[in-house]
């Protein structure tokens, strides 16, 4: 070890926020994911925020084409991917242009100087070079010729003889990963193994990436540019087996588990759409668990196949985002009329129309609540974190099968693509959702035993579920109104009124079958309640922590069930002087709360395609508390 390495200071931190940024072809998502994997292996708590370009092929070198990946990790439990990066790795001028506004003064900035050419500066919108015009004076800037050093390292390494200059240059993201792994004392063996496995069919490319990774690590050890390295100790976490998981992956596993718990074959009818497509990709891998996936020609065909599968005795699932929900709405109404189980997974994104396909939003709540013709109530479940998507998927399946109803599962792009450590659940801790089909006639008519498809369970008001082909249980289905009990077509006004009220009462009765709304109020003295739903949980909880650290009192409650609300919701809301509802929309939950409980809730609303920042919400909370 050299003398300069021995003299370096190692500074211990309790948390770090790192952001990688570059062109969409620079491998920033792969770099961030691998840095995250090593961080998870080390034992830190973590939360991530991948940020993809909204355009499929934005011009290279422009801010519109920048891809980013932010990781927040710590030695204690954390709730968000961080408000602002402590260190930004900018692979080109466009990445710097798109991300510099988020970098606080004094933060570290690692810049690939090779990319700061006249042409690249012009494409990024710079009139002068920010490396020399004073723009970066507020930051700790490390100028690193990433591209040229990567090419030199690759060509000097063994086993890379057939790698050309362009292929060598592509490995510059691994050089950056190696440098960051050295700077923050991250493990390296896992990354080397990952690269060798990923590029096993092209050993020369594997060797090139490993060489670049090691060159970046060694550069950190030998350069005089970095006088301080950083350590973040492992977090104290509940004992058990953990893995890093994204929301879409957790949701997929939850659906597979739901199939096992109900004893039903799982059928997914879907049409690819950002950001839900990963669920289709993942579920297609699990045929051994009785999962069948069908990529339909369009959204309507996808949900039609899923509903047909439910009629045939499977657990029907369809996945989509907001634009797809609009196309599926008629079939969702049909499922309400048929009273069959169906889980509609909506990974929300920015709208309206095509909107912001790769950005997050919470703007489909009212669409899920009311986006059908007629009186067609549907239960709505929303997870709060990537790992919670697993449990929310099981809960959606429980409600769908028990109450014979379509159920909305509202996730969003932030949860879908974000990741966190996830404690693997034990099988015995999961609920028993075993489904029993009707196999015998359930009514005695003038001619003897009959099957009435709408003869309801007195507790749940759910109708019987009979698999087609069961002898003696032939019955009619369809979208035209059915007679109560018997199930024949009926245009009788009184019957229609009764059926509408029965379907509404069935959904309303779910309030007695879900946990009460819980409130976190450590001091017991709070007069302000923050109410949230979905992915706002992390930023809201982090904001509450900051406010309480200043000696102020605030209570927090978070809704998983949005239709119906938990039975005690009104009582809790009326227990506080003020109710604040932060949402990534223009006030959709606030509208429902005001209408149902006559509580004059205060809204804080942003629709920027990004999650809330903890500091932002803390400031809003302080203002409301002090008013």
């Amino acid at each position: 070890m050299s003398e300069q390495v021995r003299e370096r200071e190692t500074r211990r931190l309790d948390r770090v926020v790192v952001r990688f940024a570059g062109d969409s072809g620079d491998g920033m998502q792969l770099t961030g994911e691998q840095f995250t994997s090593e961080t998870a292996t080390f034992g830190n708590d973590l939360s991530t925020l991948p940020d993809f370009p909204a355009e499929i092929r934005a011009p290279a070198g422009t801010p519109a084409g920048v891809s980013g990946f932010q990781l927040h990790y710590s030695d204690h439990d954390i709730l968000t991917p961080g408000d602002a990066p402590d260190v930004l790795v900018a692979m080109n001028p466009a990445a710097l242009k798109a991300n510099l506004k988020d970098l606080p003064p004094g933060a570290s900035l690692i810049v690939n100087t090779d990319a700061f050419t006249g042409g690249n500066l012009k494409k990024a919108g710079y009139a002068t070079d920010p490396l020399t015009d004073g723009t970066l004076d507020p930051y700790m800037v490390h100028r690193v010729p990433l591209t040229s050093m990567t090419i030199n390292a690759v060509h000097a390494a063994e086993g890379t003889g057939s790698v050309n200059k362009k292929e060598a240059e592509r490995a510059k993201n691994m050089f950056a990963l190696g440098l960051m792994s050295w700077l923050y004392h991250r493990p390296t063996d896992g990354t080397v193994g990952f690269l060798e496995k990923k590029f096993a069919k092209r050993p020369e490319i594997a060797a090139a990436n490993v060489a670049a990774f090691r060159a970046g690590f060694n550069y950190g050890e030998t350069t005089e540019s970095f006088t301080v390295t950083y350590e973040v100790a492992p977090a104290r976490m509940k004992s058990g087996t953990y893995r890093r998981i994204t929301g879409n992956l957790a949701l997929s596993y939850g659906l597979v588990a739901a199939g096992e718990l109900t004893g039903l074959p799982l059928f997914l009818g879907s049409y690819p759409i950002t950001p839900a497509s990963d669920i289709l990709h993942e579920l297609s891998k699990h045929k051994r668990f009785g999962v069948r996936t069908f990529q339909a020609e369009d959204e309507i065909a996808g949900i039609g196949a899923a509903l047909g599968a439910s009629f045939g005795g499977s657990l029907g699932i369809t996945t989509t985002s907001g634009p797809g929900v609009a196309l599926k709405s008629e079939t969702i109404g049909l499922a309400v009329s048929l009273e069959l189980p169906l889980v509609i997974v909506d990974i929300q994104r920015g709208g309206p129309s095509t909107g912001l396909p790769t950005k997050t939003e919470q703007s489909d709540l009212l669409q899920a609540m009311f986006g059908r013709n007629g009186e067609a109530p549907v239960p709505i479940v929303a997870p709060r974190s990537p790992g919670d998507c697993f449990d929310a998927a099981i809960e959606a399946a429980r409600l769908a099968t028990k109450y014979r109803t379509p159920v909305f599962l509202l996730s969003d792009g932030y949860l879908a693509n974000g990741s966190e450590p996830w404690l693997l659940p034990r099988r015995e801790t999961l609920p028993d959702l075993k489904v029993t089909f009707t196999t015998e006639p359930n009514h005695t008519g003038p001619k003897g035993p009959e099957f009435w498809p709408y003869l309801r369970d007195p507790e749940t008001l759910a109708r019987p579920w009979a698999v087609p082909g069961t002898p003696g249980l032939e019955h009619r289905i369809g979208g035209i109104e059915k007679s109560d009990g018997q199930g024949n077509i009926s245009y009788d006004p009184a019957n229609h009124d009764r059926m509408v009220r029965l379907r509404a009462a069935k959904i309303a009765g779910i309030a007695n079958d879900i946990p009460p709304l819980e409130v976190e109020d450590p001091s017991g003295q709070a007069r302000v309640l923050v109410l949230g739903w979905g992915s706002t949980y992390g930023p809201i909880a982090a904001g509450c922590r900051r406010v309480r650290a200043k000696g102020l009192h605030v209570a927090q409650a978070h809704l998983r069930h949005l239709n119906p609300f938990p039975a005690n919701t009104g009582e809790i809301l009326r227990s506080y002087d003020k109710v604040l509802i932060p949402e990534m929309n223009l006030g959709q939950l606030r509208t429902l709360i005001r209408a149902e409980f006559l509580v004059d809730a205060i809204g804080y609303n942003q629709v920027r395609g990004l999650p809330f920042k903890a500091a932002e919400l803390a400031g809003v909370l302080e203002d409301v508390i002090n008013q």
Side-chain angles (χ1 to χ4, degrees), residues 140-153:
M140 296 174 57
V141 182
H142 302 279
R143 295 170 171 83
V144 182
L146 275 166
T147 304
S148 57
M149 293 182 71
T150 298
I151 294 172
N152 293 337

Side-chain angles (χ1 to χ4, degrees), residues 343-368:
V343 177
I344 306 111
V345 179
D346 177 4
I347 312 297
Q348 300 167 96
R349 71 188 205 186
S353 187
T354 308
L356 304 173
T358 62
K359 309 300 180 182
T360 194
E361 209 163 279
Q362 287 184 298
S363 53
D364 295 351
L365 176 56
L366 294 184
Q367 182 184 32

Side-chain angles (χ1 to χ4, degrees), residues 28-52:
M28 293 296 93
Q29 301 304 320
L30 177 65
T31 305
E33 288 172 3
Q34 193 54 39
F35 194 82
T36 300
S37 292
E38 296 295 3
T39 298
T41 301
F42 189 74
N44 297 115
D45 195 14
L46 60 90
S47 178
T48 69
L49 178 63
D51 188 17
F52 306 95

Side-chain angles (χ1 to χ4, degrees), residues 511-582:
N512 300 316
D513 191 26
I514 58 178
L517 182 61
E518 296 183 357
V519 178
E520 180 187 339
D521 183 2
S523 69
Q525 302 177 45
R527 303 314 310 157
V528 173
L529 172 71
V530 190
L531 182 68
W533 69 278
S535 66
T536 57
Y537 173 78
I540 290 174
C544 288
R545 284 183 182 180
R546 296 188 181 206
V547 168
R548 290 169 186 151
K550 294 183 177 181
L552 299 176
H553 305 295
V554 65
Q556 179 190 1
H558 209 77
L559 290 163
R560 163 175 280 185
H561 296 88
L562 295 153
N563 189 39
F565 292 120
N568 66 332
T569 303
E571 176 187 352
I572 286 176
L573 295 175
R574 287 186 282 269
S575 299
Y576 293 87
D577 295 341
K578 298 175 184 177
V579 177
L580 174 68
I581 304 180

Side-chain angles (χ1 to χ4, degrees), residues 111-327:
V111 183
N112 177 18
T113 55
D114 288 333
F116 281 70
T117 62
N120 285 344
L121 290 168
K122 184 177 180 180
K123 284 189 288 186
Y126 281 114
T128 59
D129 188 346
L131 297 180
T132 59
D133 66 5
T135 299
L136 305 182
D137 288 350
Y139 312 104
M140 296 174 57
V141 182
H142 302 279
R143 295 170 171 83
V144 182
L146 275 166
T147 304
S148 57
M149 293 182 71
T150 298
I151 294 172
N152 293 337
V154 169
H155 287 164
E158 295 183 2
T160 62
S162 63
V163 174
N164 59 40
K165 181 179 179 181
K166 186 175 182 180
E167 290 173 326
E169 181 180 342
R170 287 176 181 162
K172 63 182 180 291
N173 63 323
M174 289 298 107
F175 188 102
L177 178 59
L179 175 57
M180 293 297 290
S181 297
W182 170 83
L183 185 61
Y184 288 98
H185 294 254
R186 298 295 88 190
T188 60
D189 291 345
T191 297
V192 172
F194 164 79
L195 292 171
E196 291 174 344
K197 181 178 179 181
K198 180 177 177 62
F199 300 108
K201 293 183 179 179
R202 294 197 63 187
E204 71 280 9
I205 298 298
N209 280 275
V210 170
F213 176 71
R214 287 175 171 159
F217 192 95
N218 293 335
Y219 173 77
E221 285 196 335
T222 57
T223 184
E224 295 181 359
S225 177
F226 298 92
T227 59
V228 178
T229 63
Y230 304 93
E231 283 187 352
V232 179
R236 293 183 178 180
M237 305 175 75
K238 185 179 179 180
S239 62
T241 302
Y242 286 81
R243 63 157 295 162
R244 180 177 68 90
I245 201 163
T246 64
N248 273 352
L249 184 57
L251 200 153
S252 300
Y253 287 172
L255 292 174
V256 173
E260 292 289 301
L261 295 168
T262 58
L264 301 176
L266 187 76
F267 180 89
L268 173 68
S270 184
Y271 180 74
I273 185 172
T274 301
S277 299
D278 287 343
I279 301 171
L280 171 61
H281 301 159
E282 182 61 34
L283 288 180
S284 68
K285 303 175 184 177
H286 298 291
K287 294 181 178 64
R288 66 187 183 279
F289 290 109
V291 177
R292 295 294 179 266
T293 54
F294 169 56
Q295 180 175 319
E297 65 269 29
D298 55 39
E299 295 279 4
I300 299 171
I303 190 172
L307 183 56
S310 289
F311 176 58
S314 295
L315 177 55
I317 312 291
T318 191
T319 53
T320 189
S321 191
V325 174
L327 293 167

